[in-house]
Amino acid sequence: MASKKTVVELIALQCTECKRRNYTTSKNRRNIQEKLEFNKYCPHERKHTLHKETKIK
C-alpha cells in the first residue's frame, strides 16, 4: 500500500537568541501556510524569547 503524506506535520521551535530547539509541536499545513512564531520561555537564556518554526531532522 502506498502511504499518503499527512496533513499534520511535526515541527520544532527554535530560539532566535541561543539558536537551540527547545520545543516541538504539530501544525496543520492546510490551515496554516506561514511559519509559526511564539514568545516562549527559553531555559538556556532564562527569559521569554521569540521562537520560530524549523524542521525536525
Side-chain angles (χ1 to χ4, degrees):
M1 249 174 34
S3 67
K4 290 186 176 182
K5 196 169 188 182
T6 60
V7 175
V8 176
E9 87 181 288
L10 293 176
I11 58 167
L13 295 176
Q14 182 180 20
C15 178
T16 55
E17 294 188 19
C18 69
K19 305 298 183 202
R20 294 182 181 163
R21 294 179 181 154
N22 298 322
Y23 297 97
T24 57
T25 186
S26 60
K27 164 178 133 170
N28 189 334
R29 291 185 293 148
R30 286 189 186 160
N31 296 338
I32 306 169
Q33 284 83 26
E34 66 274 357
K35 292 195 175 219
L36 296 177
E37 293 182 353
F38 294 111
N39 278 322
K40 306 272 295 172
Y41 180 76
C42 179
H44 305 288
E45 295 287 321
R46 295 184 183 163
K47 61 182 178 179
H48 283 84
T49 59
L50 183 66
H51 285 70
K52 292 187 178 183
E53 173 186 338
T54 58
K55 289 186 178 181
I56 295 179
K57 293 183 181 178

